[in-house]
Amino acid sequence: MKTLVMKFGGTSVGSVSAIENVIQIVRKAREDGIEQIAVIVSAMSGVTNNLKAGILGAAAGETETAHQIGQTLREQHEAVLKALGGSDYAPTLAEINGMIDDYARFCDSVGVLGEATPRALDYTMGLGERISARQIAAVLRAADIPAQAVDATHMIVTDDRFQDAAPLMEPTCRRIQEVLPPIFEAGDVAVITGFVGATEAGISTTLGRGASDYSAAIVGACLNCDELWIWTDVDGVMSADPRVVPDAGTIDRLSYREIGELAYYGAKVLHPKTISPVVEAKVPIWVKNTFNPDHPGTLIVPNGEAQAGRIFKAVTAVHDTGLVTVEGRGMLGIPGIAARTFSAVARTGTSILLISQASSEQSICFMVPKASVQAVVDALSGEFEQEITRRDIDRIAALAPLTIITVVGAGMLHVRGIAAKVFAAVADADVNVIAIAQGSSECSISFAVSADDGDTAVRAIHALTK
Ligand code: ADP
Ligand code: ASP
Ligand code: MG
């Protein structure tokens, strides 16, 4: 028995014509004899941002915003159901409209409170996926493909870190294995909400922005599926962000490690956590284009190999970052400075994007998101107050905004001269390198440049692949 998990992103379910492609893709999988199909859907593109703007607006005292957003949502979904929902779309539309009414009412209460907590944000921001799953199931049924919508809140059990909740895999897999098999046995396609989960107590959570890919990987791993297909709006994972480098090409094959580095360092095409649930089950992942389904896309497999004729596979960028440096000649003799530095950063809830190799016993430097720089500097100034007074630490400095550029490719670091070529290309483009780090996984090099130079550096490096 073959099991396939497919995820369709926001653009792929974002318009009538896109959804027509989704229907054809699901139909083809069934015609190809795949017995068990789980489809994970995102909200229509733009909807999650709108839902967030509505509730934040309400918290700020704008009473109308959420209602206007609700009205736009109603019209958007009615248009899709009218076009593709067949003659019997009214019950689905009524259900969706009821959910939108709840959203507007909830935002009104947030308006009275004057505050949108992370928990309230999670409750409202997952609505787009809940609507989308019902809508896609309805249009599949109208196209004679039996389908049932399933809320992942009944399956994906998470901790209560609202906005960035982590799944608890053991209860999650147990529930997935309870809920989905009866749906498959009935011959139906399961259409599941991406992005959302719920705590053990049933309180709604979200897994982080862009996390529907992660939801799909969680479902795929728990079903021990044969393949996971991520359907998006480009021809697979490309050698650079196609919006920055128009002649970027599709990468045929990548390892879990390589895509892990790429996703962590800015390739938005896959959520960085997508790989972790499937590592053990070694599920092959295809990244494909809903708008060009005949293109083979990218295959992601457990182990990597260098790509013949190419010095690396891809170059990525993370924007809006900052470099924080703790420096002082007196640091040399004080034990535990690095540990105290990183503990102080951790207490601010900030994750460190990279630690520069410029770190020595006289300075420690690392990069964090720009939005966290001030909090990190404040935390470090507090932590090291005495050392600063004694002049053991001369300063805690910050430099922002910067962009982290990462070059990725298995085997790359064993080929002599690659780093030299990369940095020569950057220098030739007149870009100054501010800090360097070699990736821990031996398939990447990262470095920081001024934010204004980010795109120039990406293009200069990508040109090396020609
Ligand atoms: P989805 O809604 O399908 O999840 P996303 O917008 O999250 O889609 O991710 C796809 C987008 O990622 C592409 O449209 C592209 O602009 C961007 N992107 C950035 N870097 C890359 C890359 N290296 N390869 C492919 N796409 C990339
Ligand atoms: N709709 C969610 C977001 O915009 C999740 C996703 O698209 O993956 O973040
Ligand atoms: Mg995405």
Side-chain angles (χ1 to χ4, degrees), residues 232-391:
T232 183
D233 56 6
V234 286
D235 290 335
V237 182
M238 318 205 59
S239 49
D241 185 339
R243 289 167 299 188
V244 178
V245 182
D247 64 346
T250 300
I251 306 167
D252 305 333
R253 223 177 149 87
L254 281 169
S255 67
Y256 285 179
R257 271 237 156 110
E258 289 170 316
I259 191 69
E261 293 288 297
L262 279 172
Y264 188 76
Y265 286 116
K268 189 190 170 211
V269 62
L270 213 62
H271 189 276
K273 291 183 186 158
T274 310
I275 297 303
S276 63
V278 300
V279 166
E280 238 167 86
K282 296 193 166 60
V283 177
I285 304 173
W286 286 94
V287 180
K288 286 169 169 285
N289 190 349
T290 306
F291 304 90
N292 187 15
D294 293 332
H295 191 289
T298 300
L299 174 61
I300 302 169
V301 292
N303 294 309
E305 56 204 38
Q307 193 173 339
R310 284 188 88 129
I311 58 174
F312 59 82
K313 291 189 188 170
V315 51
T316 61
V318 186
H319 302 285
D320 295 323
T321 66
L323 180 78
V324 178
T325 311
V326 179
E327 58 184 41
R329 266 156 298 160
M331 282 164 60
L332 205 61
I334 308 170
I337 291 268
R340 283 171 61 199
T341 300
F342 295 126
S343 305
V345 177
R347 283 197 298 277
T348 67
T350 303
S351 38
I352 292 177
L353 294 164
L354 70 76
I355 300 174
S356 169
Q357 245 126 60
S359 303
S360 72
E361 285 206 70
Q362 295 178 46
S363 82
I364 295 171
C365 60
F366 55 91
M367 298 191 65
V368 295
K370 192 181 94 181
S372 306
V373 166
Q374 195 53 52
V376 166
V377 169
D378 292 346
L380 291 171
S381 305
E383 173 68 34
F384 292 121
E385 205 179 340
Q386 289 185 6
E387 285 80 1
I388 293 167
T389 314
R390 286 201 304 264
R391 307 294 299 267

Side-chain angles (χ1 to χ4, degrees), residues 2-358:
K2 267 206 138 180
T3 307
L4 175 63
V5 176
M6 293 199 268
K7 176 256 171 178
F8 292 93
T11 323
S12 300
V13 295
S15 65
V16 169
S17 64
I19 295 175
E20 284 174 323
N21 292 354
V22 172
I23 297 169
Q24 291 316 321
I25 289 166
V26 176
R27 192 190 301 287
K28 172 135 195 332
R30 278 169 64 88
E31 286 169 2
D32 287 346
I34 298 165
E35 293 97 343
Q36 309 198 126
I37 301 175
V39 169
I40 282 71
V41 290
S42 290
M44 294 177 81
S45 57
V47 166
T48 313
N49 285 343
N50 283 344
L51 292 167
K52 186 176 182 185
I55 179 172
L56 291 180
E62 300 158 15
T63 45
E64 272 314 299
T65 315
H67 289 269
Q68 279 156 7
I69 283 165
Q71 188 50 32
T72 309
L73 262 177
R74 255 183 256 280
E75 287 162 15
Q76 227 174 338
H77 290 285
E78 184 166 357
V80 171
L81 286 170
K82 266 194 174 150
L84 301 173
S87 54
D88 191 26
Y89 69 83
T92 307
L93 185 62
E95 190 184 3
I96 289 174
N97 283 339
M99 292 161 78
I100 296 171
D101 292 342
D102 284 347
Y103 165 77
R105 270 196 297 272
F106 188 86
C107 288
D108 285 342
S109 350
V110 165
V112 174
L113 278 173
E115 185 193 9
T117 60
R119 176 171 164 171
L121 283 167
D122 273 3
Y123 180 71
T124 44
M125 282 170 66
L127 175 63
E129 271 70 13
R130 294 197 288 131
I131 295 176
S132 186
R134 284 159 178 79
Q135 170 165 285
I136 296 293
V139 303
L140 287 172
R141 288 194 298 268
D144 287 328
I145 301 170
Q148 281 184 49
V150 184
D151 280 325
T153 37
H154 301 307
M155 298 195 299
I156 297 184
V157 184
T158 72
D159 64 12
D160 62 358
R161 276 203 20 213
F162 298 106
Q163 298 272 282
D164 190 24
L168 310 175
M169 287 307 280
E170 199 265 327
T172 296
C173 280
R174 202 169 351 102
R175 292 203 193 169
I176 286 176
Q177 287 160 10
E178 277 163 18
V179 174
L180 296 184
I183 296 177
F184 297 144
E185 275 154 32
D188 290 358
V189 172
V191 184
I192 305 164
T193 54
F195 186 46
V196 299
T199 64
E200 294 270 13
I203 300 161
S204 295
T205 54
T206 64
L207 310 181
R209 293 307 305 269
S212 293
D213 304 319
Y214 188 28
S215 307
I218 294 166
V219 172
C222 295
L223 287 177
N224 202 3
C225 70
D226 294 284
E227 289 187 358
L228 171 61
W229 294 4
I230 305 288
W231 290 95
T232 183
D233 56 6
V234 286
D235 290 335
V237 182
M238 318 205 59
S239 49
D241 185 339
R243 289 167 299 188
V244 178
V245 182
D247 64 346
T250 300
I251 306 167
D252 305 333
R253 223 177 149 87
L254 281 169
S255 67
Y256 285 179
R257 271 237 156 110
E258 289 170 316
I259 191 69
E261 293 288 297
L262 279 172
Y264 188 76
Y265 286 116
K268 189 190 170 211
V269 62
L270 213 62
H271 189 276
K273 291 183 186 158
T274 310
I275 297 303
S276 63
V278 300
V279 166
E280 238 167 86
K282 296 193 166 60
V283 177
I285 304 173
W286 286 94
V287 180
K288 286 169 169 285
N289 190 349
T290 306
F291 304 90
N292 187 15
D294 293 332
H295 191 289
T298 300
L299 174 61
I300 302 169
V301 292
N303 294 309
E305 56 204 38
Q307 193 173 339
R310 284 188 88 129
I311 58 174
F312 59 82
K313 291 189 188 170
V315 51
T316 61
V318 186
H319 302 285
D320 295 323
T321 66
L323 180 78
V324 178
T325 311
V326 179
E327 58 184 41
R329 266 156 298 160
M331 282 164 60
L332 205 61
I334 308 170
I337 291 268
R340 283 171 61 199
T341 300
F342 295 126
S343 305
V345 177
R347 283 197 298 277
T348 67
T350 303
S351 38
I352 292 177
L353 294 164
L354 70 76
I355 300 174
S356 169
Q357 245 126 60

